[in-house]
Amino acid sequence: MKKEESLIGKLDWLTIILFSLLMLIGWAVIYSSCYTGDGKSIFDTSLNSGKQFEWIVASFILMAIILIVDSRFYVTFSYVFYVLLMLFIVLVMFVGVEVKGQRNWIRIGSFQMQPSEMAKFAVSLALAKYFSGLNVDIRKWRDKWKAFAIMGFPMLLVLIQGDAGSAIVFVSLVLVLFREGLEPYFLIVGAAATTLGVLALVADKLMLTVVLLAIALVFIYFLKRNKKIIATILGIWLLAVVYIFSVHFAFSKLQAHQRDRINVLLGKEVEAGKDWNIRQSIIAIGSGGFTGKGYLQGTQTKLKFVPEQSTDFIFCTVGEEYGFFG
């Protein structure tokens, strides 16, 4: 009894309450996105809202189990979870079911699981376990590479499956490393690489190469007395050129729908209909105005103009029914 009281007292109730409110709001919005006016209840499992309710109940049960289990269990088995999930990701390539062009789901009866989603949990546990070591120092390159490997291996497996969205989530885990002491220049290099990657897709690669060379020569002109810095500048320019051409090569290897999504995001011309999703989502959000049309009153939602309304484009329902104020 004392242990139970101690556990309840240690809980962050503010976070739990805020989480529960957001979860309930999300559940209501999912119901609105699939509401057709036929009188079906929010609990109806033929609707995504009913399925979401099942997941909500299952999640709270799982949360209770996680809290009850001693924390040393996770410390002990964190690497075991990591290895098992990596094996699942590999296994899904051979025995997984294909959903919307991607073979990254495992189906057991009516239950479907995406191992890459569970892998995010396993990677987080493995990183926590690794950084809890007494001799681990993220400022040492040896420890850096081990941390990058923990995150990079599942990301590579997921990329092989063609799930670029999940791979990006693994990249975002790098931000956690700054809390552990990762040097700020990694953030600067990451931002520069992202900017250069976008420019490589928007501008002509040869023109971009010439512009970068001109910038490098300007620096060299003012630093011409320092040969070491000159060599460093030329080395950075050469790496940038290789990176630019690598971005083009990687982009050409993406699936057609992935290239279309990136081109639409960058504002480039695409074939008619390829930008349907983004155009309709903008129309849906914009039609909500300042105060919105009201709960269950979204016309773009009801007429199915926006695809995947209850999942990928759920924000369209929020924007249309609650407006900018909501």
Side-chain angles (χ1 to χ4, degrees), residues 19-31 295 318 322:
F19 165 77
S20 299
L21 286 173
L22 287 173
M23 179 192 64
L24 291 173
I25 291 171
W27 181 34
V29 173
I30 289 174
Y31 176 62
Y295 186 58
V318 177
Y322 300 96

Side-chain angles (χ1 to χ4, degrees), residues 57-179:
V57 173
S59 297
F60 271 100
I61 294 173
L62 185 60
M63 284 168 58
I65 294 172
I66 290 173
L67 286 171
I68 292 171
V69 174
D70 195 294
S71 60
R72 287 173 293 185
F73 171 81
Y74 305 108
V75 175
T76 304
F77 292 99
S78 56
Y79 289 150
V80 176
F81 291 145
Y82 180 85
V83 173
L84 285 176
L85 263 300
M86 296 309 105
L87 291 176
F88 266 112
I89 294 178
V90 173
L91 183 65
V92 79
M93 298 180 189
F94 302 98
V95 301
V97 294
E98 190 170 307
V99 177
K100 297 180 180 178
Q102 292 185 343
R103 187 182 295 275
N104 49 20
W105 293 82
I106 290 178
R107 179 177 294 163
I108 304 173
S110 61
F111 175 76
Q112 284 190 166
M113 181 189 75
Q114 195 172 3
S116 59
E117 292 296 324
M118 296 297 295
K120 297 168 188 174
F121 164 76
V123 170
S124 299
L125 271 183
L127 279 176
K129 168 72 172 178
Y130 177 65
F131 283 115
S132 66
L134 295 176
N135 298 319
V136 176
D137 186 352
I138 193 63
R139 291 168 296 183
K140 297 177 181 178
W141 276 102
R142 178 193 62 188
D143 295 335
K144 278 188 182 72
W145 287 121
K146 289 180 180 178
F148 291 153
I150 291 173
M151 296 180 294
F153 183 63
M155 184 185 74
L156 179 61
L157 293 177
V158 170
L159 275 175
I160 293 173
Q161 294 178 0
D163 189 358
S166 293
I168 292 173
V169 175
F170 287 110
V171 174
S172 68
L173 287 173
V174 172
L175 297 175
V176 178
L177 303 186
F178 289 101
R179 180 184 177 278

